[in-house]
Amino acid sequence: HMPEVQGPAQPSPPDLDAYTRYLRARFLIHQQSPETLQAALEQLRSLTETYPDYALAYSGMAAAGGLLAQFGVVSGRDVFPEVKANAERGYALDPESGETCTVLGALRAWFEHRWDEAGKMYDRALNLQPSHAPAHMFRAMALLCQGDIKAAESGLRRSTELDPLSASDCARTAYLHYVKGDYSSAAENLRHSFELDRDYPEARFYEGLLQFQQQQYEAVIQ
């Protein structure tokens, strides 16, 4: 005789085809180059045509579009309506997902500067999924923007522990050290970022800031 299961029933697993296609796109988003972000966006648009209610596909499109704007590939002003609609739709379809909460938090922070609401969404994401590295990372960068360097450093450290192969986490940790004035630690983190991805654009930008600080202007231009 099987004991009765207490609490809510587990939701049925997502359709394997949808989930596999989403994971392929998420792998591209993780690389955070203009080319891989564009490719992810196309794959996820196709995914929503097949599965119009698949929450993670909409959140993924919001993340890819938002990062393309962050890197200056597209105009943030131009893509904002689409990024907003996708982030909000992903969350509405599955508010119990750490991923959809994180992406909506990122929209509230980076596009709308509604920092308190963003913080609540990141907290919700981490409550639902404590090991979701992007939630730690985005929350940390929002805290850095608000001047809470100590909390930002703690969050980035946790994100790096959970995702040690992330070039972007290393680059952002380098930027945090740059802000603190610890230029040798910043340089070390940038070296690590380039070991993981020698062409990661954000790391190149922070390398330029670091060279400028050291008055190496030829290197800055390069």
Side-chain angles (χ1 to χ4, degrees), residues 25-45:
R26 191 176 74 171
F27 175 73
L28 292 171
I29 292 171
H30 194 74
Q31 293 175 58
Q32 292 188 26
S33 77
E35 297 76 19
T36 62
L37 290 167
Q38 295 276 23
L41 212 43
E42 286 166 25
Q43 289 183 19
L44 290 165
R45 281 195 186 118

Side-chain angles (χ1 to χ4, degrees), residues 86-98:
N86 284 328
E88 290 180 345
R89 179 151 190 205
Y91 179 74
L93 286 166
D94 187 2
E96 301 302 307
S97 157

Side-chain angles (χ1 to χ4, degrees), residues 38-55:
Q38 295 276 23
L41 212 43
E42 286 166 25
Q43 289 183 19
L44 290 165
R45 281 195 186 118
S46 166
L47 179 54
T48 59
E49 287 164 15
T50 318
Y51 302 96
D53 291 329
Y54 193 56

Side-chain angles (χ1 to χ4, degrees), residues 106-122:
L107 169 86
R108 296 284 183 252
W110 305 111
F111 278 90
E112 299 179 338
H113 300 158
R114 290 156 68 178
W115 301 105
D116 288 348
E117 287 180 47
K120 285 174 188 157
M121 291 309 304
Y122 296 139

